[in-house]
């Protein structure tokens, strides 16, 4: 049975700050009944952002899309999977890379929590965490390697490589000097002499530092020829049976591994671009690992697979794939963190399936119509999209492509993306991690929750041009919806833990009408106003949904549905007397009738 907690007397527990002015008549609200459930868990076996070959030959994987660390046998049998310490309440993309020291201990680069987690190699149990010295904490640990009994951490945000001992004490750091300029570092490793090699993502080169931190050399330019790179993402030093200690580079957007001498002389290229089910290829290569016998493994994140190439007497030959099956698309197994729901002109639902990097179109009965979008190396691909809205005139789908800080426009029938709007920045035509979008039919204006710019952005859907931005006092707004009765906007001001109602007219700008701040609200990522005038709030940080009257009374608290506790409910959409709640970490959408 679904657990419901009613709080008809909650108004007394709310402070004066929890008042909101009614902008539409509020009808009586009966407790909502059991919802219909759409979708269900639709995960790939593995979404590998990083991997390593352990001393015993097992494979340890930073499984980004499954918010976990997994260990496989070399034959591909799953030994264990843990999420403790890398995903409790966090985004699924936290575990970005993995390292294993010579004793078998595992180290996880947990990017969103700005820390390194040390795990027991046999059980996956968390042993400790560390995040750098007090005056210089980790900014974004995105790559990690264990070599020479030291832990090398690529701090992308602070453009440096940090070196820790196995107890978590920082003992050194490598920063730009001389010809060794750094930008968006993705990975680093060291040779037996202590020289450090850096995958310099944006500059399309490998940077080599001497053990004392001074610049030795760089090699590589942007391109597709041998010795050139398109965004090198991973680097590993290991002994090859023929060449001795060499440098292996995961050349991500060329979808290949390149092998070099320690002075930068090219020796071999392994793999090429191909579909997830095409052997000997990579779709979106991220990291490289090397077995003791010289076999090469590639972590192919959006090919959902680990790929092994056998070291032969004359080169390399494809040998094995672990995973390599795309996420399922059945009515009961389809989602990996669903967020925004938009009702199309054809009456079908368009649901943003964030981790699977796609829009899922389904009927209101739950039958899959199609899917649209994917993540790969092309400019039109998604990168953790969270919001979707429908143009009321064309039926086009406007997508908040969150981690690429832009909007993408797709036709109603899944096809080629037609427009990309904006890029990262703070200007009028720019965004920084937009989370949500809604389009008002009366004037065809699109309103975007430009979350990391702490503002709203207004666009003309007809001309696809920006109109203006509005900051107010917002702090990371993550949801925006339209009150159908009034045309006003309702915003989840997430980091301020409140709901803000605003009016907007072109030329007249925004006017803040009221705020709502139920006691204990924690990082809300969903809000909408129903046909009775009441507010449905995705109280994401508390794993619950609140139904709140215009006067601020909490009418109902939903903490469970269909026999399962809610887990990070985010987007909420109202369509007439139907309310859609994205129970995000349970990979389902709940449908309530009021």
């Amino acid at each position: 049975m679904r657990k419901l907690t009613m709080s008809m007397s909650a108004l007394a527990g709310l402070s004066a700050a929890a008042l909101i002015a009614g902008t539409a008549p509020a009808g009586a609200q009966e407790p909502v009944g059991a919802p219909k459930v759409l979708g269900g868990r639709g995960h790939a076996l593995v979404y590998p952002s990083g991997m390593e070959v352990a001393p015993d030959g097992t494979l340890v994987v930073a499984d980004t899309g499954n918010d976990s660390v997994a260990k496989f046998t070399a034959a591909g049998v799953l030994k264990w999977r843990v999420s403790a310490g890398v995903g409790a309440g966090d985004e699924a993309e936290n575990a970005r890379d993995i390292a294993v020291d010579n004793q078998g201990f595992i180290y996880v680069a947990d990017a969103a929590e700005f820390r390194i987690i040390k795990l027991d190699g046999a059980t996956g149990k968390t042993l400790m965490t560390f995040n750098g010295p007090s005056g210089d904490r980790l900014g974004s640990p995105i790559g990690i390697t264990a070599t020479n009994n030291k832990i090398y951490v690529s701090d992308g945000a602070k453009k440096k490589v940090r070196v820790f001992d196995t107890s978590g004490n920082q003992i050194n750091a490598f920063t730009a000097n001389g010809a060794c300029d750094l930008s968006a570092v993705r990975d680093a490793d060291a040779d037996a002499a202590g020289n450090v090699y850096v995958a310099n993502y944006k500059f399309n080169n490998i940077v080599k530092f001497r053990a004392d931190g001074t610049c030795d050399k760089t090699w590589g330019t942007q391109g597709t020829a041998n010795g050139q790179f398109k965004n090198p993402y991973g680097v590993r030093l290991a002994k090859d049976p023929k060449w001795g200690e060499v440098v292996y580079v995961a050349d991500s957007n060329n979808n290949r591994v390149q092998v070099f001498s320690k002075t930068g002389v090219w020796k071999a290229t392994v793999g090429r671009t191909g579909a997830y089910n095409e052997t000997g290829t990579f779709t979106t290569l991220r990291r490289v690992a090397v077995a003791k016998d010289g076999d090469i493994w590639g972590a192919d994140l959006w090919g959902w697979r680990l790929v092994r190439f056998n070291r032969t007497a004359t080169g390399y030959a494809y040998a094995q794939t672990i995973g390599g099956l795309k996420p399922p698309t059945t009515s009961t197994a389809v989602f990996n963190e669903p967020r925004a729901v938009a009702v199309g002109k054809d009456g079908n639902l368009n649901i943003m399936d964030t981790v699977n990097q796609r829009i899922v179109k389904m009927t209101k009965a739950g039958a899959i119509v199609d899917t649209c979008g994917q993540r790969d190396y092309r400019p039109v691909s998604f990168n953790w999209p969270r919001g979707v809205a429908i143009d009321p005139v064309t039926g086009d789908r406007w997508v908040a492509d969150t981690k690429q800080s832009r909007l993408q426009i797709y036709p109603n029938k899944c096809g080629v993306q037609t427009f990309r709007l904006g890029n990262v920045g703070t200007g009028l035509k720019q965004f920084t991690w937009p989370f949500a979008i809604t389009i008002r039919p009366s004037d065809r204006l699109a309103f975007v929750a430009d979350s990391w710019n702490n503002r709203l952005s207004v666009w003309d859907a007809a001309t696809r041009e920006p109109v203006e931005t509005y900051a107010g006092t917002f702090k990371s707004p993550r949801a925006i919806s339209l009150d159908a009765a009034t045309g006003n906007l309702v915003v989840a001001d997430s980091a301020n833990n409140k709901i803000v109602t605003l009016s907007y007219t072109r030329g007249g700008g925004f006017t803040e009408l009221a705020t709502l701040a139920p006691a204990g609200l924690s990082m809300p990522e969903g809000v909408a106003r129903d046909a009775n005038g009441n507010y449905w709030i995705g109280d994401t940080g508390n794993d619950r949904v609140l139904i709140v009257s215009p006067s601020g009374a909490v009418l109902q608290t939903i903490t469970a549905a269909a026999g399962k506790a809610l887990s990070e409910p985010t987007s909420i959409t109202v369509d007439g007397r139907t309310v859609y709640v994205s129970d995000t970490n349970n990979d389902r959408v709940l449908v309530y009738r009021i």
Side-chain angles (χ1 to χ4, degrees), residues 409-496:
I409 303 175
Y410 280 82
N412 178 41
K413 290 185 178 180
C414 191
V416 178
Q417 166 244 65
T418 54
F419 291 96
R420 297 194 302 272
L421 306 177
N423 53 37
V424 66
T426 59
L428 179 62
K429 292 186 175 184
Q430 295 180 306
F431 306 97
T432 306
W433 281 47
F435 266 64
I437 183 171
T438 190
I439 300 178
R440 188 163 63 184
S442 61
D443 50 13
R444 208 177 163 197
L445 291 178
F447 300 88
V448 181
D450 187 7
S451 183
W452 285 16
N453 278 331
N454 302 309
R455 67 185 187 182
L456 305 181
S457 179
V458 186
W459 288 68
D460 188 319
T463 64
R464 303 182 186 90
E465 291 293 330
V467 178
E468 64 178 295
T469 63
Y470 174 75
T473 59
F474 289 125
K475 188 175 181 181
S476 190
R478 296 191 175 188
I480 186 166
S481 64
L482 184 70
D483 181 351
T486 65
N488 291 331
L489 301 162
V490 187
V491 178
D493 188 5
S494 302
N496 282 325

Side-chain angles (χ1 to χ4, degrees), residues 39 328-335 360-363 365-371:
T329 52
T330 70
S331 60
T332 57
V334 63
F335 295 128
V360 174
K361 181 185 280 193
M362 61 170 49
T363 67
I368 304 295
V369 177
D370 63 27
T371 63

Side-chain angles (χ1 to χ4, degrees), residues 120 152 162 166 218 493:
D120 181 272
Y152 294 83
R162 301 169 184 262
T166 56
T218 69
D493 188 5

Side-chain angles (χ1 to χ4, degrees), residues 157-174:
K158 294 192 175 180
K159 301 181 181 179
K160 65 173 68 175
V161 175
R162 301 169 184 262
V163 187
F164 295 87
D165 64 24
T166 56
S167 297
N169 302 301
Q170 183 169 313
I171 56 178
N172 203 351
F174 291 78

Side-chain angles (χ1 to χ4, degrees), residues 171-430:
I171 56 178
N172 203 351
F174 291 78
T175 58
N177 67 84
C180 295
D181 198 3
L182 297 177
S183 177
V185 295
R186 286 294 187 267
D187 204 7
D189 197 6
D191 63 22
N195 300 307
V196 173
Y197 303 76
V198 183
N200 207 17
Y201 182 80
K202 285 190 176 181
F203 288 168
N204 293 293
N205 62 6
I206 297 298
V207 172
K208 181 180 179 181
F209 294 97
R210 301 183 186 92
D212 64 3
T214 59
C215 179
D216 185 340
K217 66 182 304 179
T218 69
W219 74 83
T221 57
Q222 184 174 2
T224 60
N226 291 332
Q228 292 186 308
F229 303 107
K230 289 177 69 175
N231 307 115
Y233 214 101
V235 63
R236 196 72 172 96
L237 273 289
K239 286 185 177 180
D240 176 81
K242 181 178 180 181
W243 297 318
E245 192 174 39
V246 291
V247 183
Y248 300 82
V249 180
D251 185 9
S252 64
N253 285 340
N254 278 324
N255 284 307
R256 63 188 184 182
V257 174
Q258 295 196 69
V259 186
F260 299 88
S261 73
K262 291 185 289 184
T263 59
V265 177
W266 174 87
K267 288 184 172 295
T269 294
V270 183
R272 59 181 176 82
T273 298
Y276 67 92
N277 56 0
E278 188 178 357
T279 60
T281 69
F282 299 110
T283 304
T284 46
L285 178 65
R286 284 294 179 265
R287 312 284 180 176
V288 58
V290 184
K292 290 181 179 179
D293 60 4
D295 285 2
I296 291 176
W297 285 90
D300 188 7
L301 177 55
W302 300 111
W304 312 289
R305 58 186 173 170
L306 309 174
V307 182
R308 179 170 68 89
F309 289 85
N310 183 45
R311 181 61 162 113
T312 68
T314 57
Y316 298 89
Y318 166 76
Q320 181 184 1
T321 295
I322 298 172
L325 296 175
K326 67 188 303 184
T329 52
T330 70
S331 60
T332 57
V334 63
F335 295 128
N336 191 342
E337 296 197 7
R339 282 185 167 81
V341 177
V343 181
K345 292 182 67 178
D346 56 7
N348 290 319
L349 306 177
N350 296 269
I351 302 171
M352 189 52 65
D353 187 12
T354 296
V355 178
N356 285 332
Q357 316 284 336
R358 64 190 181 184
I359 304 166
V360 174
K361 181 185 280 193
M362 61 170 49
T363 67
K364 291 181 179 179
I368 304 295
V369 177
D370 63 27
T371 63
C372 188
Q374 64 189 70
R375 177 74 186 277
D376 58 26
Y377 60 94
R378 298 175 302 168
V380 298
S381 69
F382 286 142
N383 194 344
W384 303 86
R386 285 166 169 80
V388 63
I390 306 299
D391 184 328
V393 174
T394 65
D396 288 345
R397 294 172 285 190
W398 286 54
V399 175
D401 189 9
T402 304
K403 288 185 69 174
Q404 294 188 115
S405 296
R406 65 185 184 184
L407 304 179
Q408 295 205 54
I409 303 175
Y410 280 82
N412 178 41
K413 290 185 178 180
C414 191
V416 178
Q417 166 244 65
T418 54
F419 291 96
R420 297 194 302 272
L421 306 177
N423 53 37
V424 66
T426 59
L428 179 62
K429 292 186 175 184
Q430 295 180 306

